[in-house]
């Protein structure tokens, strides 16, 4: 076997680009700029750093995902556009609102539109769609038209409260909206090559740079809802302008310094914040927006989950860009805390509706799970960024878990109905809605589905990594040459993956294949020869060091027998219960598949076989699971509510479907965790 | 065996008095008056009707209850008096409040004071206490002094909103306060023989009678918070004045008629009700106060639990007084619904804090259980009244369950701290408080403890019933002669009960002994001779028909082995779980008794012995239970939150204490329901 051996410890001071060929910013490749650590900042030698192969270089041709991308483009995006129009969000950019008019623009409206622009840009770039393109152009023109001469851009604070810029950073989402606009602008530029929105975003970012900071006359504040931080890193990466990276770092590091800026701000303003009542209802308001301590000192996930995910993503971005090990260490601590004590088996985070966020350790109620779709999207963002810090299977596993379960559940099969909260049990009264007054989730799901390609591969010097198994191909610039990598797979329904490598000329590099944590016995062949997985596995990836020639094949087989999964015993809501899993998918029982079986009375029979079956006519084609269960009988109880003997049980054949697919048929009860014994 | 045989079907048209000797109202025995069904109302022949032997004829000399009555008198009542004084509730009766002053009297303050008067009256009558007597006299004088010339009596509506009498019946608790004042007056009169408060209550009731009704110029309304209905029946019984019974019947039957009075009232008033925001938050506001349908048509417990309990109690009183079978049928339906689908194993009812009330069938969450102490008190009232309708064990069982568990848990061992909500599981953050802004619960618990004697015995022609097993004695007037009945027992710790009967002369009557539903094998001896319990048992009572001679003894042995109890499988919060019970007591695990054992990870071992042990030094002396449990171990999980193998378990000896006694020592977690298997 040629050069496929045990993994090497790769310790290199590298931070160069992984992909090129994007539309350039000012004639310079937008990606080369990010190679240089910002001057004057502490950096450390770091392990191999892999940068995502951008969505624009990845073609998704996957039974599972391509269908979802198509639905996203043909249904979700037009649906969302119609909703944005109907609710007045688009028209609001004309800044024509006058006192007394209805509807009154809301201070987070801009972000809903910006996320739609971002998602539409991705969708258009991979699948030309003139109608969508025309709509996108109109929306972009409307946004740009709302920019003030000084670069400021915000509908609400240009119309409803024009005199109140930057006075309620805690509640009013002004920098949050700016962040989403910047992200949209970068995506729009990369997708279309147009600069109009990117230039507007730069003017906005420059305005923000003048307003915020520790210099004389600047506001020493930061956003109550994080987002602008990661957006500024994206803008830096797209433009090469280091001031945006510096601004992101300022926002991240200023957060939580004493005195707490939000208290200073409130005292100076003297009037209630836009969410004063809610904030006063919290025991620890500063924890809600993670400003209770400097971020480098944080170790516990607290507060609003989406805010936290966006902050941690930005922290990881900065650690990646600057090699800041202190920040990286905080990210690792926080990731361990979130995923080890606060994450649903679906990848959902933020268990409580009361604060849309984190509660105490291990507090993961099922029926009342909040697990906001946006928080799942945010966790996917963050886990993906952690993979840039270091390729560890635990990050890839979380990315996969939340993508295939928590994120996908947020959107109906037809793409036009959405969950905001994603419970893991329902008595039948939980259903997706067409839209929300606070419409953050639908376009957030749309942008992650549309840009799925960027989550699949990553590359660095001498290294090409596969994080997700998605059929299609990518073009990767690796050590100066172009390598095409193709995948053939029917993941997540089947665990066989065939990879073909097409370097322009033979090239030695390490191919990293994620070994999913759910798979107990992965098998690996290179050019038909079996590889000892144990020998090449490190930190959840198989490291295949070899001189690769065009057409060489790697076959990864990930057996995915259905399994019972248990939660850590500290999770008291799941005590004595198991969930059904197959591969990356978590399953649930739905009433519609189990007619006449009251789901509240079902338990799993210990040791019973679980049979997986491809059902082409079910939910557009899914693998469903069948297993033997017990149903507690109530027919011999008379009117009694309590008695000194357990309920008698009857056997029942239970059928489970993937969690992401629930609530797409007749309404009814649903349950993920089931007593087992 | 002499005349102890199988039960007879007793069908008599009887509704005479069960006890006499109370202070008389207007020279007439207050109890003889209630014998006559109100004229013109439909009555039916009914089964034997037993009237409670009043608290004034019962001496409680019981290890368990006498200690609680002493604590109630020496600690709870002085504590409550101090709180009533400190918070301004007592001073408010001087009607000196002027706009701008703090505190502003609240519209339910009167009821807190009235319940204290009622409880103090009971306590004084059974145990002379000059200090308490002096305080009681002062409070009574203050109350009477607040009465208006027309009989109206309400602090809030005589000071804060003097022009707004009877305009917000839905929210403002005006008739509710009046009801408690009437109850207090009856108790005060019966305890002291004084008429001053009773006369005031009659003037108030007469005022209410003039104001409310379907006549010209009258308000066709009723109270949003029931209470006055049952109070008017008590006033009728104490005074013999049928108009009070008629007024109660008007209030009960007018409730829920179309159009809904509260809508009429709101439209006429044109301003928000005192609880407008809350009422608007409810999906079915009329269900909150049980005005969604005429009461005779109701079959499902809905809305605010305390309101419901007081309404159902009044309905039962009216059915008893008038022989109204339609009303009785509604009471039976509602009782079956409450106790068969909505009652915690502790007897708590009203599972949701959101409405302080009933939710859907079988919805009995443990950690978030509301189970207000007042609702437990109300359920005890109602179950006791159902026993007047017919002596059925199911009513007595509920009375016993809620008294020994749900009610007693509401008060700390030292009598000075109180639960408003009574969860069945806690992570350690739930503790009794010294007082509440809405202080309904402490004096409600005080009045039921102080008047416990009245729940023990009942009598009717040829019939003497024992509902509860409490050491002490009662003097009963039975078929014209005085019968003394004595109990010796160490209930609820031990199930042996020795009864001695002392009729003045030999008398044939049926002695009814409740056979608790929790007891599987009761044994019975009359004068040392075994009685076949199966042969004399009917509807949960042993019917012992015999000519009783002075000094004759009955021995009832109720073996109380510790048992596991299961909930109906429809109760999904208890799926797979069992609770520990011994006799009438429900047990719980407290952290303080199980050091180092995380209660969230504990399960019961199926089939393991449960050992009961008297522990004199524990909680002032209780029986505790010990059994083998399993504790799921987390030490082999690393940082994982989920894994494909169940937690390993370690054995642990668990100790459980009676639920009523929890949260009297070091703070910590508590749990009633435990997985079993």
């Amino acid at each position: 076997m040629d050069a496929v051996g045990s993994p090497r410890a790769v310790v290199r001071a590298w931070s160069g680009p992984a992909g090129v060929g994007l539309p350039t910013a000012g004639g310079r490749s937008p990606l080369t700029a990010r190679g240089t650590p910002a001057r004057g900042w502490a950096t450390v030698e770091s392990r191999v750093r892999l940068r995502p192969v951008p969505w624009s270089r990845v073609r998704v041709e996957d039974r599972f995902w391509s269908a979802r991308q198509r639905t996203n483009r043909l249904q979700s995006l037009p649906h969302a556009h119609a909703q944005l129009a109907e609710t007045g969000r688009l028209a609001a950019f004309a800044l024509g609102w006058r006192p007394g008019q209805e509807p009154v623009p809301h201070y987070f409206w801009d972000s809903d539109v910006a996320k739609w622009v971002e998602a539409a840009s991705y969708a258009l770039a991979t699948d030309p769609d003139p109608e969508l393109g025309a709509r996108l152009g109109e929306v972009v023109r409307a946004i740009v038209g709302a920019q003030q001469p000084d670069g400021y851009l915000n509908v609400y604070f240009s119309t409803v409260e024009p005199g109140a810029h930057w006075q309620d950073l805690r509640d009013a989402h002004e920098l949050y909206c700016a962040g989403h606009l910047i992200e949209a602008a970068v995506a729009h530029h990369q997708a279309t090559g147009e600069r109009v929105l990117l230039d507007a975003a730069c003017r906005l970012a420059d305005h923000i740079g003048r307003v915020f900071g520790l210099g004389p006359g600047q506001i020493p504040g930061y956003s109550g809802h994080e987002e602008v931080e990661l957006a500024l890193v994206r803008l830096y990466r797209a433009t090469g302008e280091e001031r945006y990276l510096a601004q992101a770092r300022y926002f991240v590091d200023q957060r939580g310094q004493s005195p707490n800026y939000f208290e200073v701000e409130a005292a100076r303003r003297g009037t209630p914040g836009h969410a004063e009542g809610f904030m006063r209802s919290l025991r620890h308001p500063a924890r809600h927006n993670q400003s209770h301590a400097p971020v480098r000192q944080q170790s516990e996930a607290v507060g609003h989950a989406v805010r936290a995910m966006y902050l941690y993503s930005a922290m990881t971005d900065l650690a990646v860009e600057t090699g800041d090990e202190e920040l990286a260490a905080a990210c690792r601590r926080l990731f361990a805390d979130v995923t080890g004590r606060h994450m649903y088996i679906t990848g959902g985070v933020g268990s409580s509706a009361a604060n849309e966020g984190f509660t105490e350790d291990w507090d993961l109620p099922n029926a009342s799970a909040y697990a906001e779709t946006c928080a799942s999207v945010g966790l996917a963002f963050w886990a993906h960024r952690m993979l840039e810090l270091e390729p560890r299977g635990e990050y890839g596993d979380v990315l996969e878990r939340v993508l295939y379960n928590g994120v996908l559940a947020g959107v109906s099969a037809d793409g036009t109905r959405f969950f905001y909260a994603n419970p893991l049990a329902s008595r039948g009264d939980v259903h997706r809605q067409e839209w929300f007054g606070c419409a953050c989730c639908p376009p957030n799901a749309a942008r992650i589905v549309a840009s799925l390609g960027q989550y699949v591969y990553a590359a660095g010097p001498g290294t090409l990594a596969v994080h997700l198994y998605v059929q299609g191909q990518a073009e990767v610039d690796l050590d100066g040459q172009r390598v095409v990598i193709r995948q053939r797979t029917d993941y997540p329904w089947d665990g066989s993956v065939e990879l073909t490598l097409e370097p322009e000329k033979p090239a030695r590099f390490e191919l990293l294949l994620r070994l999913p944590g759910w798979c107990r016995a992965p098998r690996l062949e290179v050019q038909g020869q079996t590889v000892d997985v144990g020998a090449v596995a490190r930190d959840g990836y198989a490291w295949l060091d070899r001189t690769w020639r065009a057409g060489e094949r790697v076959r990864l087989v990930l057996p995915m027998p259905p399994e019972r999964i248990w939660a850590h015993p500290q999770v008291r809501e799941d005590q004595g219960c198991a969930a059904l899993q197959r591969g990356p998918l978590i399953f649930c029982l739905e009433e519609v598949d189990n007619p006449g079986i009251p789901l509240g009375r079902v338990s799993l029979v210990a040791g019973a076989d679980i049979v997986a079956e491809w059902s082409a006519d079910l939910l557009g084609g899914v693998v469903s699971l069948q297993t033997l269960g017990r149903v507690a009988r109530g027919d011999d109880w008379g009117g009694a509510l309590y008695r000194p003997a357990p309920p008698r049980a009857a056997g029942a054949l239970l059928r489970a479907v993937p969690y992401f697919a629930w609530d797409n048929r007749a309404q009814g009860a649903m349950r993920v965790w089931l007593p087992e014994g």
Side-chain angles (χ1 to χ4, degrees), chain A:
Chain A
M1 190 167 54
D2 176 35
V4 174
S6 59
R8 296 179 282 159
V10 182
V11 181
R12 298 172 189 159
W14 180 86
S15 51
V20 293
L22 289 180
T24 55
R28 189 162 54 140
S29 162
L31 290 167
T32 55
R34 66 184 192 196
T36 321
R39 278 181 295 278
W41 292 355
T43 63
V44 293
E45 296 294 283
S46 57
R47 287 165 49 111
V48 61
R49 289 272 164 83
L50 301 172
R51 294 295 169 94
V53 176
W55 52 268
S56 56
R57 309 297 300 276
V58 180
R59 218 158 65 214
V60 173
E61 294 169 319
D62 184 84
R63 175 155 74 149
F64 188 85
W65 283 106
S66 296
R68 279 163 181 77
Q69 291 194 322
R70 196 177 312 118
T71 300
N72 190 48
R73 181 170 55 83
L74 297 178
Q75 302 297 331
S76 302
L77 288 171
H79 174 87
H81 184 273
Q83 294 284 351
L84 293 171
E86 266 175 40
T87 56
R89 282 163 165 86
L90 296 182
F93 280 97
L95 306 186
W97 184 86
R98 295 292 173 271
Q101 284 182 11
E102 289 291 340
V104 182
H106 195 279
Y107 54 79
F108 50 57
W109 271 12
D110 296 27
S111 66
D112 300 333
V113 178
K115 278 188 282 192
W116 182 87
V117 167
E118 185 182 346
S121 298
Y122 299 135
L124 267 182
T126 48
D127 293 277
D129 185 325
E131 198 176 342
L132 186 59
R135 280 177 181 156
L136 177 60
E138 277 169 29
V139 175
V140 165
R141 278 191 292 281
I143 294 173
V144 172
Q147 191 162 37
Q148 305 298 308
D150 63 357
Y152 186 83
L153 209 177
N154 184 291
V155 164
Y156 179 86
F157 285 101
S158 296
T159 54
V160 184
E161 289 194 71
H165 296 189
W166 312 126
Q167 290 177 20
D168 184 16
L169 297 185
R170 189 190 68 182
D171 299 345
H173 290 56
E174 224 169 343
L175 285 166
Y176 166 86
C177 285
H180 276 303
L181 203 131
I182 291 167
E183 282 209 273
V186 171
H188 183 251
H189 170 60
Q190 292 173 340
T192 64
E194 294 175 21
R195 291 199 56 94
V196 55
L197 193 56
L198 185 67
D199 288 343
C202 289
R203 288 194 297 274
L204 174 56
D206 291 337
H207 177 79
I208 289 169
R210 289 191 295 275
V211 170
F212 291 95
L214 299 176
Q218 287 186 302
I219 298 174
Y222 42 88
S223 183
H225 195 315
E226 299 91 329
E227 158 64 22
V228 73
E229 302 82 357
L230 70 84
L232 286 166
V233 178
R234 280 189 82 174
L235 190 60
Y236 156 66
R237 288 174 173 168
T239 62
E241 298 295 344
E242 283 185 13
R243 63 181 180 276
Y244 301 137
L245 184 64
Q247 189 69 29
R249 192 173 191 241
Y250 156 77
F251 278 134
V252 165
D253 273 339
Q254 183 62 6
R255 184 168 222 91
Q257 301 296 340
S258 283
N260 185 291
Y261 175 72
F262 300 129
E263 293 173 14
V264 174
E265 169 189 75
R268 193 177 50 221
R269 197 181 55 234
T271 55
H274 287 76
E276 192 67 35
F278 170 73
M279 292 300 289
R280 282 184 183 278
S281 77
L282 299 173
R283 202 179 302 176
H284 303 293
R287 292 163 69 95
H288 187 65
N289 49 40
Q290 297 83 35
S291 70
H292 57 297
V295 299
R296 290 160 189 276
Q297 295 169 20
Q298 298 189 24
S299 299
E300 290 174 24
V302 298
H304 189 264
V306 181
R307 284 169 164 83
M309 293 301 106
Y310 289 0
L311 169 64
Y312 306 157
S313 293
M315 288 164 63
T316 311
D317 280 341
L318 286 169
V320 166
E321 287 299 339
T322 67
D324 185 327
E325 270 302 324
E326 190 185 30
L327 212 43
C331 293
R332 292 187 193 101
R333 289 195 307 271
L334 288 163
F335 195 86
D337 187 60
V338 167
T339 61
R341 284 178 283 279
H342 297 283
M343 183 183 70
Y344 285 99
I345 195 169
T346 57
V349 291
S351 60
S352 170
N355 65 340
E356 297 189 316
F358 293 102
T359 59
E360 57 195 296
D361 287 355
W362 322 105
D363 176 36
L364 295 166
N366 291 306
S368 67
Y370 199 64
E372 184 181 334
T373 302
C374 280
S376 288
V377 170
L379 179 56
F381 290 166
W382 183 30
H384 188 221
R385 283 162 165 85
M386 291 299 287
L387 287 168
E388 293 189 62
L389 209 54
E390 56 225 348
R392 296 182 63 88
E394 64 210 64
Y395 306 142
D397 286 347
V398 168
L399 170 62
E400 181 178 85
R401 180 190 294 279
V402 71
L403 265 181
Y404 280 93
N405 300 284
V407 169
L408 281 189
V411 185
S412 66
D414 70 1
T416 65
R417 297 178 72 83
F418 309 91
F419 276 137
Y420 198 109
N422 290 274
L424 278 74
S426 163
R427 297 191 179 190
D429 52 351
V430 176
H431 303 294
R432 292 189 184 83
Q433 292 176 224
E434 285 191 4
W435 200 247
F436 307 97
C438 176
C440 48
C441 295
N444 225 351
R447 63 183 180 139
I448 201 168
V449 169
S451 64
L452 179 85
Q454 69 183 316
Y455 298 92
V456 181
Y457 304 99
T463 318
L464 172 59
V466 184
H467 295 318
L468 297 178
Y469 298 108
V470 175
Q471 184 163 294
Q473 66 174 54
E475 292 181 18
V476 188
D477 289 287
L478 198 69
D479 303 324
Q481 75 152 313
R482 178 171 163 279
V483 176
V484 173
I485 181 169
R486 298 182 216 281
Q487 280 195 63
R488 281 180 60 86
T489 182
D490 197 18
Y491 208 85
W493 308 124
D494 182 84
S496 295
V497 184
E498 192 176 88
L499 296 127
T500 310
L501 290 158
E502 303 276 2
E504 286 171 333
K505 53 181 192 292
R508 181 170 175 182
F509 58 86
E510 285 193 294
L511 178 67
L512 271 64
L513 303 180
R514 189 169 65 85
L515 300 171
W518 53 258
C519 183
R520 306 210 207 186
R523 297 194 303 274
L524 194 51
E525 289 171 16
V526 175
Q527 286 291 91
Q529 298 208 337
T530 300
V531 176
D532 176 357
V533 174
V536 298
R538 193 178 74 222
D539 295 340
Y541 279 77
W543 293 62
L544 303 177
D545 182 0
R546 174 183 172 96
T547 298
W548 300 95
R549 292 178 175 79
E552 286 193 339
R553 293 188 177 198
V554 177
R555 190 171 150 76
L556 177 66
V557 178
L558 303 166
M560 41 174 73
E563 292 200 295
R564 293 171 182 75
I565 303 293
W566 281 263
H568 190 288
Q570 287 278 30
V571 183
R572 69 170 69 196
E573 302 279 345
D574 300 335
Q575 198 193 5
C577 290
L580 299 177
Q581 176 181 286
R582 180 176 179 272
L585 299 180
I586 304 303
F587 285 70
C588 66
L589 299 189
E590 275 201 278
E591 193 172 324
V592 65
D593 296 308
N594 298 279
I597 299 177
L599 296 191
R601 303 195 208 169
V602 166
S603 58
L604 298 174
V605 173
D609 280 345
I610 310 171
V611 178
E613 180 184 44
W614 173 254
S615 310
D617 55 350
L618 188 65
L619 289 158
V622 294
V623 168
S624 69
L625 305 182
Q626 291 192 72
T627 189
L628 193 61
R630 279 196 202 88
V631 181
R633 289 173 53 179
D635 53 354
D636 56 341
W637 282 67
L641 191 41
Y642 304 102
R643 75 177 193 190
R648 287 194 295 164
L653 191 62
L654 306 177
R655 187 182 219 187
V657 295
Y659 172 77
F660 74 74
W662 89 278
D663 193 39
N664 276 303
R665 294 168 293 164
Q667 70 172 43
M670 182 277 291
R671 201 165 175 197
V672 171
W673 291 99
L674 297 161
E676 195 265 9

